[in-house]
Amino acid sequence: MLQVAEKRFRIITPYDAQRSLIEEGLRNNQLEWEDKCFNVDSFQGNEEDYIVISLVRSRALGFLADLRRTNVMLTRCKKGMIICTSRRFMQHAGSNSLVGNLLRYYEDHWVERGELERIEL
């Protein structure tokens, strides 16, 4: 969507296997893939208008237990951010992470007031 709308974006994931899979998916769908997908450490110090964050986990907190690195990941966007994860993970293993706290904040403060129509996980 961002690419079709000609928005400046980058994709960040803490997991190299996800980065490789995302790049492959972009390439296979004839989308721009070079210089689009990064692991968190390689993107540190950079920013972009829009950031897509892939946090696909199933059981353990892993990378998200490191607050400093998670903070870096969440502060790279200038205009907007999309976080891709699963509700099940965020309700269990990820619930006490910085991203879990961010999700609760938006659910409590934005969705209630109707300022955000929905949060899709």
Side-chain angles (χ1 to χ4, degrees):
M1 252 183 158
L2 290 171
Q3 191 164 353
V4 172
E6 298 183 9
K7 303 287 185 186
R8 294 178 47 143
F9 74 97
R10 296 291 184 267
I11 303 166
I12 301 174
T13 181
Y15 313 108
D16 286 328
Q18 283 183 27
R19 182 188 48 77
S20 297
L21 188 62
I22 292 167
E23 285 179 340
E24 181 182 329
L26 292 170
R27 189 172 43 250
N28 289 344
N29 287 287
Q30 289 80 44
L31 297 170
E32 186 179 340
W33 64 274
E34 293 183 88
D35 196 38
K36 283 291 181 195
C37 196
F38 300 86
N39 70 33
V40 175
D41 295 327
S42 68
F43 201 71
Q44 190 167 344
N46 294 300
E47 54 185 21
E48 187 57 88
D49 287 348
Y50 297 93
I51 295 292
V52 177
I53 299 173
S54 176
L55 295 178
V56 180
R57 295 286 301 176
S58 58
R59 287 174 270 153
L61 198 54
F63 174 91
L64 294 177
D66 185 333
L67 291 178
R68 183 187 60 78
R69 292 171 79 202
T70 303
N71 185 57
V72 167
M73 180 177 57
L74 294 173
T75 58
R76 302 297 96 194
C77 66
K78 296 178 188 176
K79 296 181 179 180
M81 172 177 33
I82 298 169
I83 300 175
C84 302
T85 189
S86 73
R87 180 171 298 280
R88 183 173 184 215
F89 173 70
M90 294 312 302
Q91 289 175 337
H92 298 289
S95 66
N96 292 322
S97 69
L98 188 56
V99 177
N101 290 330
L102 180 66
L103 173 61
R104 273 191 303 286
Y105 173 82
Y106 280 105
E107 287 177 332
D108 293 346
H109 294 93
W110 292 66
V111 176
E112 272 181 14
R113 296 190 309 229
E115 294 177 34
L116 189 64
E117 289 183 24
R118 67 180 182 202
I119 295 177
E120 236 179 90
L121 292 176

